[in-house]
């Protein structure tokens, strides 16, 4: 932590899919090399508790979901010295739907005040009847999907950000949203455009792509176009404090098949 500037990173570690074993060593090496570089880490697809322990043994607080545990799990790691706490069920009722895919913590940041940080991972799937039933036990219904492709898990993550922000607290939700505007370049319809229209309509800002065009790819599947699917999305009260580090023009592999996205949160005029 440098003055009133908080250094953050969001990264999908690839620890839940078929390539999990491939990235186990590289993600640990990355953590060991970067443990002093950040004040807050928002990680998705955490490979195991040993990876988290690299951070907690170096003075980080750990915040995970209190909901159901899945293979994919997210974590918020906050350096000691920053006041932080987990969210109450009343503050984040739909955590019971997302389970370990979404983690959140309320932090007090110098010069900024209270902010909720969410490490989000949207499953790249349509909402099934089973998922809908679970959501309706904890969240408002109906939730509108997209005209071109219906209701996806990313819509429910977006709705959860709105729910958490309803109290007036600034919210920054960073992670693997599994959404990209460039998806529309290779697929019929306008699913990407429609999703980010929903982001704007909710009064939220995609801080990685403020001009409403995708930034450089953060993920590239074999044989496919690289896509910017890892985003830092903030409420109107948080967005002026968020500064995303410039990304390279070409895809560069990170510790997994996702590139980390670095950003800062600072008092206005700093960063």
């Amino acid at each position: 932590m440098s003055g009133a500037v908080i250094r953050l990173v969001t990264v999908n570690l690839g620890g839940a899919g078929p390539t999990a074993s491939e990235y186990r060593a590289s993600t640990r090496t990355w953590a060991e090399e970067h443990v002093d570089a950040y004040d807050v880490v928002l990680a998705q697809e955490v490979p195991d508790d040993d990876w988290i322990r690299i951070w907690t043994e170096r003075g980080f607080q750990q915040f995970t979901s209190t909901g159901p545990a899945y293979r994919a799990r997210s974590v918020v790691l906050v350096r000691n010295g920053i006041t932080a706490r987990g969210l109450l069920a009343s503050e984040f009722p739909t955590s019971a739907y997302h389970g370990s895919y979404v983690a959140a913590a309320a932090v007090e940041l110098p010069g900024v005040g209270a902010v909720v940080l969410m490490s989000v991972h949207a499953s790249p799937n349509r909402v099934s009847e089973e998922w809908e039933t679970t959501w309706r036990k904890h969240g408002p219904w109906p939730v509108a999907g997209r005209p071109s492709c219906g209701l996806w898990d990313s819509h429910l993550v977006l709705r959860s950000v709105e729910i958490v922000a309803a109290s007036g607290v600034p919210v920054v939700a960073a992670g693997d949203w599994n959404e990209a505007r460039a998806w529309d370049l290779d697929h019929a319809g306008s699913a990407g455009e429609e999703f980010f229209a929903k982001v704007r309509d909710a009064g939220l800002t995609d801080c990685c792509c403020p001009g409403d065009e995708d930034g450089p790819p953060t993920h590239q599947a074999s044989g496919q176009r690289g896509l910017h699917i890892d985003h830092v999305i903030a409420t109107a009260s948080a967005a002026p404090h968020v500064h995303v580090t410039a990304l390279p023009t070409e895809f560069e592999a990170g510790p997994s098949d996702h590139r980390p996205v670095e950003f800062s949160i600072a008092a206005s005029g700093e960063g």
Side-chain angles (χ1 to χ4, degrees), residues 54-264:
I54 293 171
W55 301 87
T56 56
E57 289 181 350
R58 292 288 292 273
F60 280 77
Q61 307 162 72
Q62 169 190 347
F63 300 94
T64 54
S65 170
T66 57
Y70 303 107
R71 284 183 62 191
R73 60 172 177 157
S74 299
V75 66
V76 177
L77 297 163
V78 181
R79 188 178 296 279
N80 287 341
I82 298 175
T83 301
R85 64 172 178 83
L87 297 190
L88 303 174
S90 58
E91 297 171 301
F92 185 14
T94 51
S95 176
Y97 163 80
H98 298 292
S100 59
Y101 274 80
V102 178
V107 300
E108 291 286 338
L109 301 183
V112 178
V115 179
V116 169
L117 302 175
M118 302 177 72
S119 176
V120 304
H121 183 191
S123 175
N125 292 287
R126 288 185 175 87
V127 174
S128 66
E129 290 185 7
E130 179 183 359
W131 291 6
E132 176 186 326
T133 298
T134 302
W135 171 272
R136 293 177 70 163
K137 293 177 182 177
H138 308 284
W141 190 261
V143 177
R146 281 170 278 198
S148 64
C149 59
L151 184 66
W152 287 62
D153 187 56
S154 56
H155 297 110
L156 299 185
V157 175
L158 187 62
R159 190 69 183 92
S160 287
V161 174
E162 294 181 274
I163 290 168
V164 173
S167 67
V169 64
V171 177
V172 177
D176 181 1
W177 284 82
N178 269 309
E179 294 285 354
R181 299 164 182 83
W183 175 265
D184 300 344
L185 297 177
D186 298 322
H187 300 81
S190 55
E193 178 183 343
E194 291 170 16
F195 179 79
F196 288 97
K198 286 187 171 295
V199 172
R200 294 192 305 273
D201 291 345
L204 304 172
T205 297
D206 180 359
C207 299
C208 293
C209 314
D212 206 32
E213 293 185 2
D214 273 348
T218 60
H219 175 266
Q220 188 164 18
S222 177
Q224 298 183 26
R225 179 192 299 272
L227 295 172
H228 190 117
I229 63 174
D230 301 88
H231 300 271
V232 180
I233 292 179
T235 57
S237 55
H241 301 284
V242 177
H243 308 274
V244 176
T245 301
L247 295 173
T249 55
E250 300 294 333
F251 178 75
E252 294 180 3
S256 66
D257 55 351
H258 287 252
R259 176 178 173 77
V261 176
E262 297 179 345
F263 61 105
S264 65

